[in-house]
Amino acid sequence: MKPTDYKFVGVRRFYQLQPGDIFRAVIHNIRPGEVVIRLAEGELYVARSLVLPPGHIGDECLFCVKENDFKGRIVLEVVKTGTSYSFDMRV
């Protein structure tokens, strides 16, 4: 799996993602307890996190949707070979 195999998603597609879907986003900011990601159309979303992501501000990352309750709670996991990091993202 290569990062070029996945496209950036906009906000409309983001809300419709199903568990198992993988998309690219850019790490916009990292603060204690949260990670801010930027989607294709520039939208920013704050993900609560107990771990630091395996990247830096400005890095493109692959995210896998672990859960989506379609009521504003999406749980994401950064896809990285051999390691995974989960983020509880409320939008």
Side-chain angles (χ1 to χ4, degrees):
M1 166 173 37
K2 299 178 293 184
T4 55
D5 293 338
Y6 300 93
K7 296 183 179 184
F8 284 103
V9 295
V11 67
R12 290 182 196 167
R13 174 77 174 108
F14 181 73
Y15 285 118
Q16 299 170 358
L17 291 172
Q18 301 288 325
D21 285 346
I22 297 175
F23 67 96
R24 286 191 297 163
V26 174
I27 296 176
H28 181 75
N29 201 355
I30 301 170
R31 296 178 234 165
E34 67 184 29
V35 176
V36 181
I37 65 170
R38 186 177 67 235
L39 298 178
E41 297 167 358
E43 302 91 346
L44 299 178
Y45 291 97
V46 178
R48 292 185 301 159
S49 176
L50 299 176
V51 297
L52 290 175
H56 302 89
I57 293 172
D59 287 353
E60 280 184 14
C61 289
L62 290 178
F63 291 89
C64 178
V65 176
K66 300 307 283 182
E67 298 176 36
N68 185 351
D69 68 5
F70 300 100
K71 296 178 184 176
R73 181 173 180 268
I74 300 173
V75 178
L76 301 175
E77 182 176 84
V78 175
V79 179
K80 183 178 178 186
T81 306
T83 309
S84 63
Y85 302 88
S86 292
F87 302 100
D88 183 353
M89 178 173 223
R90 294 182 187 272
V91 293

